[in-house]
């Protein structure tokens, strides 16, 4: 939009740009800046317009964007242009991701590069390497306490290794996802050190208070994130003799985004990593970016405005780069991180589908899909040009973050039901073979979350210990069932390293003092590559899981109806153990796929008449794309074996599929 005030300011800013920037070829930069400037200006003015240095700050911002544009490699700029033309590229069903810790997966970044063929063997083409930046020697919240936003931790490699990894992934047509921890720094960051030594400029980068007056007011309405290990939201700093806001761990200092200098530093860091070849930047803990007394300091409107500005600025300099929102919050809040009142994403193009993840675990525990269905029905519709990151497990705990209203609608009582789930997955519930541990137990509120690896949570650990073949088989089936759900739902499936070979809980972390208090480490494994070789040995759980996933990924990539165009429709078939939904193909009206999943441990039946008269489905003319076979029918019913899924079509397998 052209708007006089902002554009006359822009013209003045451009006249004042550093001479070396003015003489560069900034053609594309100018076009994009012109298109985005009104939005950037409006947001920046809204947040910082009352400051005397407003004009100086916005000049800094434009200079950062221009400098990073000039530094952007020609190959990356070319990629930007390609993605601008093919703007729906990331909605395709062809993307399948995996998140991993470089050290746990392969020792270091060089090791990760050497293991790219393994990921390709599985079919993974989007790699998320979790934080690799310099962080404290001891406790570092798994690297999410960053001490230097521009340098790689020498324990995992160097900047050069990241560049090489980016080149290698691009050569293999894979995407590279990198983390940017935007909400806080570690207490070893240079900004903290300078704040501690009394520099006001850097004290203003954080929330720092002389006494408890303001902190106490904040505490009245702020929840605790790590109540067991880091109670409260403020930490006393001996050096400054002041209180600092530390929402996560006491060594993670919250950045103060009401200071424009912080915003500019962080967008500069984001663009820096975009220029190192990151295709996707995962923005950590975005729900927490803005703080206001009297609120829970999560999901505030200003946090969204900050993200919108980040997106607008990134679109000017590196428009091919996508953002992932890591906001593990209530369903109605998560969806807002795509940006409201828009068609294309105004904030992040991708968001973690924490709701779906938690609901899937509910279906595992209850063997019933009522809450899963209600929960999905309660999810507001997502923007057209935005997509989910669907996952079963990740490096964090499982939070039971579905709405109370959905729990009630499914016929349960919220507190009792959540308690049941924690008991179930920690093996406390009669008959449960899950081996998780409670995480983040808050004795004041009774809240708890769950830690544990996928395989141990679905009973594989117990089954192997007991040598119970039937139970092993059941766990393997559950692992595949869960993945079939994230591969077909709509969005990018994100596998978690180790799950593809059924890695169990790893309790070695107890021996490391800096990790012992955080049981999320039990599901952050070190891959045993000898064990991974068992994927080639017929009949082992490793082989059955790996090959099952490999096939699933391959088949998914060919099903165009699995691309994400908001083309999912839940259907109630009258059997509470079954989760059933349609995926339609907007380009091929006859190319629908019916996804059927049985979460129960006994066979279930689905009346074909429940499918109505869609194509030939109701006539039982069915073909399962995953197995390549026709499913069993009994009279007018589809038979779904225990923990089994189907991806059904009523067409010949070669029609409408990119095989
Ligand atoms: C994100 C990370 C989590 C970390 C937190 C604080 O939620 O996924 O591991 O503890 O941010 O940085």
């Amino acid at each position: 939009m052209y708007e006089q005030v902002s554009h006359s300011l822009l013209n003045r800013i451009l006249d004042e740009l550093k001479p070396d920037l003015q003489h560069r070829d900034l053609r594309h930069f100018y076009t994009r800046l012109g298109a985005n400037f009104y939005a950037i200006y409006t947001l920046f003015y809204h947040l910082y317009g009352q400051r005397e240095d407003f004009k100086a700050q916005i000049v800094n911002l434009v200079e950062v964007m221009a400098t990073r544009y000039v530094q952007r490699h020609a190959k990356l700029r070319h990629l930007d242009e390609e993605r601008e033309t093919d703007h729906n590229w990331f909605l395709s069903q062809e993307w399948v991701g995996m998140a991993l810790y470089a050290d746990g997966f392969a020792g270091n970044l060089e090791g990760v590069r050497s293991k790219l063929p393994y990921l390709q063997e599985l079919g993974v083409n989007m790699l998320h390497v979790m934080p690799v930046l310099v962080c404290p020697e001891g406790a570092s919240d798994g690297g999410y306490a960053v001490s230097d936003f521009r340098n790689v931790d020498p324990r995992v490699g160097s900047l050069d290794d990241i560049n090489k990894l980016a080149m290698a992934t691009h050569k293999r047509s894979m995407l590279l996802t990198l983390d940017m921890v935007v909400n806080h720094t570690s207490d070893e960051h240079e900004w903290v050190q300078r704040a501690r030594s009394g520099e006001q400029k850097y004290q203003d980068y954080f929330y720092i208070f002389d006494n408890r007056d303001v902190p106490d007011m904040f505490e009245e309405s702020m929840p605790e994130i790590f109540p067991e290990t880091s109670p409260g939201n403020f930490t006393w700093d001996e050096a400054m003799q002041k209180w600092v806001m530390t929402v996560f761990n006491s060594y993670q200092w919250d950045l103060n985004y009401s200071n424009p200098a912080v915003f500019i530093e962080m967008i500069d860091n984001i663009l820096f990593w975009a220029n190192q070849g990151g295709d996707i930047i995962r923005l950590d803990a975005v729900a927490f970016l803005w703080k206001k007394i009297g609120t829970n300091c999560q999901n505030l409107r200003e946090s969204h405005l900050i993200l919108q500005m980040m997106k607008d600025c990134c679109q000017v300099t590196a428009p091919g780069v996508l953002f992932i929102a890591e906001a593990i919050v209530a369903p109605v809040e998560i969806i807002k991180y795509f940006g409201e009142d828009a068609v294309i994403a105004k904030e992040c193009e991708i968001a973690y589908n924490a709701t779906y993840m938690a609901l899937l675990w509910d279906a595992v525990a209850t063997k019933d899909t009522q809450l899963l269905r209600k929960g999905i029905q309660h999810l507001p519709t997502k923007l057209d040009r935005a997509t989910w990151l669907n996952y079963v497990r990740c490096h964090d705990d499982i939070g039971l973050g579905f709405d109370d209203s959905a729990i009630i609608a499914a016929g349960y009582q919220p507190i009792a039901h959540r308690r049941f789930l924690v008991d179930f997955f920690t093996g406390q519930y009669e008959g449960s073979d899950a081996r998780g541990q409670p995480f983040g137990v808050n004795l004041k509120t009774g809240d708890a979350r769950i830690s544990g690896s996928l395989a141990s949570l679905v009973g594989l650990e117990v089954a192997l210990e007991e040598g119970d073949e039937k139970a092993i088989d059941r766990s393997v089936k559950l692992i595949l069932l869960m993945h079939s759900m994230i591969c077909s739902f709509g969005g990018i499936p994100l596998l978690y390293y180790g799950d593809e070979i059924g890695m169990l809980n790893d309790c070695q972390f107890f021996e490391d003092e800096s990790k012992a208090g955080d049981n999320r480490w039990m599901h952050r494994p070190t891959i045993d590559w000898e064990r991974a070789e068992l994927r080639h040995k017929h009949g082992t759980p490793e082989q059955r899981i790996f090959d099952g996933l490999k096939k699933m990924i391959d088949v998914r990539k060919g099903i165009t109806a699995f691309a994400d165009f908001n083309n999912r429709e839940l259907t109630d078939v009258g059997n509470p153990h079954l989760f059933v939904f349609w995926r339609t193909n907007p380009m091929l009206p006859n190319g629908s796929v019916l996804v059927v999943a049985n979460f129960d441990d006994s066979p279930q039946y689905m009346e074909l008449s429940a499918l109505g008269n869609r194509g030939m489905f109701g006539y039982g003319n069915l073909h399962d794309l995953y197995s390549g076979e026709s499913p069993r029918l009994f009279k007018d019913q589809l038979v779904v074996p225990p923990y089994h899924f189907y991806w059904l079509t009523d067409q010949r397998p070669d029609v409408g599929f990119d095989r």
Side-chain angles (χ1 to χ4, degrees):
M1 163 168 174
Y2 191 79
E3 187 270 346
Q4 280 80 355
V5 177
S6 63
H7 282 84
S8 70
L9 174 64
L10 177 59
N11 289 333
R12 272 184 285 143
I13 292 174
L14 295 178
D15 285 344
E16 284 171 28
L17 273 191
K18 289 184 192 146
D20 60 323
L21 286 174
Q22 283 183 4
H23 294 118
R24 303 293 182 133
D25 174 13
L26 295 174
R27 207 161 24 109
H28 287 294
F29 175 78
Y30 283 149
T31 319
R32 293 175 187 140
L33 182 63
N36 282 283
F37 192 71
Y38 174 63
I40 295 173
Y41 166 84
T42 316
L43 293 164
F44 206 74
Y45 188 81
H46 180 83
L47 293 172
Y48 311 120
Q50 75 293 2
R51 292 175 59 111
E52 273 177 16
D53 63 349
F54 171 77
K55 164 102 191 291
Q57 295 288 2
I58 199 160
V59 172
N60 288 347
L61 179 61
V62 174
E63 236 152 41
V64 161
M65 288 190 278
T67 307
R68 292 292 174 208
Y69 177 79
V70 168
Q71 291 166 353
R72 192 157 172 78
H73 195 284
K75 271 195 194 149
L76 297 178
R77 288 201 210 166
H78 183 68
L79 209 56
D80 288 336
E81 283 161 44
E82 270 179 22
R83 289 177 180 167
E84 275 177 330
T85 315
D86 179 18
H87 51 254
N88 281 340
W89 64 275
F90 63 100
L91 303 178
S92 160
Q93 76 284 359
E94 290 187 22
W95 298 116
V96 176
M98 180 183 278
L100 52 84
Y101 272 115
D103 52 353
F105 182 66
N108 54 27
L109 285 169
E110 202 185 320
V112 173
R113 188 155 45 95
S114 75
K115 294 291 183 201
L116 292 181
Y118 172 81
L119 297 180
Q120 280 194 305
E121 182 188 334
L122 185 61
V124 164
N125 52 14
M126 174 191 145
L127 168 63
H128 172 203
V129 185
M130 282 183 287
V132 289
L133 301 187
V134 178
C135 62
E137 278 283 325
S140 69
D141 193 18
Y144 284 97
V146 175
S147 307
D148 180 346
F149 287 111
R150 300 282 170 81
N151 276 304
V152 172
D153 195 299
R155 287 171 288 185
V156 288
S158 62
L159 200 53
D160 189 43
D161 287 322
I162 285 281
N163 294 138
K164 284 189 183 142
L165 183 62
M167 274 193 300
T169 47
H170 288 166
K171 226 179 247 161
R172 290 168 189 265
S173 304
M174 294 170 94
L175 301 173
L176 180 61
T177 303
L178 298 172
D179 265 275
M180 181 44 60
V181 186
V182 280
N183 180 65
H184 42 258
T185 72
S186 90
D187 61 0
E188 293 182 5
H189 194 285
E190 189 197 335
W191 301 337
V192 170
Q193 291 169 22
R194 297 180 75 165
R196 277 185 171 145
S197 68
E199 279 186 61
Q200 190 58 46
K201 172 173 172 192
Y202 291 99
Q203 293 198 352
D204 291 346
Y205 274 34
F206 302 99
Y207 293 94
I208 293 177
F209 306 95
D210 292 337
N211 55 43
R212 286 290 313 184
D213 290 354
V214 176
D216 283 346
M217 279 191 265
F218 268 113
E219 290 289 13
E220 282 167 17
S221 49
M222 282 176 92
E224 292 169 314
I225 306 300
F226 298 137
E228 297 153 305
T229 50
S230 194
N233 290 284
F234 295 85
T235 301
W236 173 251
D237 187 72
E238 274 302 321
M240 287 187 304
Q241 294 286 299
K242 288 178 200 263
W243 290 95
V244 185
M245 184 183 278
T246 55
V247 169
F248 289 88
N249 288 294
S250 53
Y251 52 81
Q252 288 165 303
W253 287 30
D254 284 65
L255 285 163
N256 178 359
Y257 278 89
S258 66
N259 177 355
V262 168
F263 175 82
I264 295 169
E265 295 268 18
M266 294 313 282
I267 190 69
D268 198 15
N269 287 327
I270 290 172
L271 297 177
F272 174 84
W273 288 104
N275 281 357
Q276 303 310 312
D279 299 283
I280 305 180
I281 307 287
R282 173 192 183 274
L283 301 178
D284 183 65
V286 288
F288 297 83
L289 294 181
W290 199 268
K291 320 289 195 299
K292 212 186 273 176
I293 290 173
T295 71
N296 65 359
C297 296
Q298 291 180 33
N299 307 310
L300 296 181
R301 177 164 175 263
E302 288 83 352
S303 299
H304 288 284
L305 301 183
I306 296 282
L307 286 170
Q308 284 172 26
M309 264 196 313
M310 285 179 173
K311 180 79 274 183
D312 288 334
C313 294
C314 189
Q315 267 166 356
V316 173
T317 302
V321 171
L322 306 183
F323 286 168
I324 297 179
E326 194 260 346
I328 312 303
V329 292
V332 284
E333 295 295 342
I334 296 185
I335 201 120
K336 295 182 187 160
Y337 288 89
F338 295 127
E340 288 180 278
D341 307 324
V343 177
I344 60 171
K346 267 204 305 201
E347 298 181 18
C348 299
E349 291 86 352
I350 308 173
Y352 277 80
N353 198 348
T355 314
Y356 187 47
M357 181 274 299
L359 290 166
L360 287 174
W361 282 106
D362 185 87
V364 171
T366 57
K367 301 186 173 56
D368 187 298
T369 64
Q370 302 254 45
L371 182 53
L372 172 55
R373 272 181 291 127
K374 298 282 181 222
I376 295 302
Q377 276 158 5
H378 282 204
L379 263 191
T381 312
K382 166 182 78 50
L383 299 186
D384 282 347
R385 227 189 288 160
T387 198
W388 291 116
L389 203 57
N390 293 313
Y391 64 112
V392 175
R393 285 302 287 117
C394 72
H395 68 292
D396 281 330
D397 48 286
I398 301 173
L400 305 174
F402 22 75
D403 281 339
D404 282 1
S405 56
I407 303 183
I408 294 166
Y412 308 115
Q413 198 276 332
I415 295 180
H417 191 63
R418 288 206 166 88
R419 188 163 307 140
F420 155 73
L421 292 172
V422 174
D423 286 349
F424 184 89
F425 287 115
T426 54
Q428 303 301 309
Y429 190 77
E430 174 87 42
S432 158
D433 55 5
R435 277 276 173 91
Q437 284 190 14
F439 176 78
V441 179
N442 190 329
L443 296 174
K444 288 172 239 161
T445 60
D447 282 347
R449 287 118 70 187
I450 298 149
S451 281
S453 79
L454 167 61
S456 294
L457 289 173
V458 297
L460 188 58
E461 190 171 328
V462 171
L464 289 170
E465 266 170 26
E466 294 177 355
D468 181 341
E469 282 304 324
K470 267 196 182 153
I472 294 176
D473 186 55
R474 198 170 56 224
S475 308
V476 169
K477 283 195 176 127
L478 254 171
I479 291 175
L480 295 177
L481 176 73
M482 295 285 266
H483 281 95
S484 79
M485 295 289 89
I486 59 167
C487 282
S488 57
F489 186 77
I492 303 173
L494 183 73
L495 280 65
Y496 182 59
Y497 80 115
D499 287 348
E500 78 286 5
I501 48 168
M503 291 285 294
L504 306 176
N505 289 339
D506 180 352
C507 288
Q508 274 181 32
F509 75 97
F510 274 128
E511 285 148 37
D512 180 338
E513 209 186 303
S514 68
K515 294 178 176 162
D518 184 343
N519 65 23
R520 288 176 299 171
W521 287 100
M522 70 198 275
H523 55 257
R524 296 174 178 174
T526 301
I527 299 292
D528 172 352
W529 286 98
E530 262 173 42
R531 209 184 133 197
E533 281 303 304
L534 291 176
R535 73 187 186 280
H536 300 303
K537 190 165 172 212
H538 186 73
T540 59
E542 288 80 359
Q543 178 267 327
R544 282 149 71 198
I545 300 170
F546 191 92
D547 283 351
L549 289 178
K550 180 175 166 173
K551 179 170 168 191
M552 197 184 294
I553 291 170
D554 183 47
V555 173
R556 165 189 155 90
K557 288 182 180 175
I559 303 179
T560 48
F562 283 179
D564 187 11
F565 292 101
N566 278 338
N567 45 341
R568 178 187 50 257
E569 206 185 302
L570 294 199
T571 177
D572 185 357
V573 293
N575 181 334
H577 304 289
L578 299 179
F579 185 50
V580 183
F581 57 89
W582 294 97
R583 297 301 313 279
T584 51
N585 187 336
M587 309 334 156
L588 272 171
N590 294 329
S592 296
V593 175
L594 182 70
V595 175
V596 182
N598 178 6
F599 281 84
D600 197 41
D601 55 2
S602 55
Q604 295 298 320
Y605 300 86
M606 185 180 94
E607 300 283 346
L608 290 177
S609 58
L611 300 177
N613 43 15
R614 275 177 103 127
M616 302 292 280
F617 284 93
Y619 299 98
N621 186 5
L622 302 175
H623 175 83
D624 177 25
L625 292 166
Y626 179 67
S627 63
E629 290 165 7
S630 294
R632 269 185 31 225
L633 297 177
F634 176 71
K635 295 194 179 147
D636 285 336
Q637 293 177 323
L638 172 73
V639 184
V640 197
Y643 302 126
H644 197 82
F645 71 93
Y646 291 125
W647 289 347
L648 298 172
T649 164
D650 67 344
Q651 299 190 330
R652 280 182 294 118
D654 55 333
V655 181
F657 302 98
D658 283 351
R659 307 298 312 153

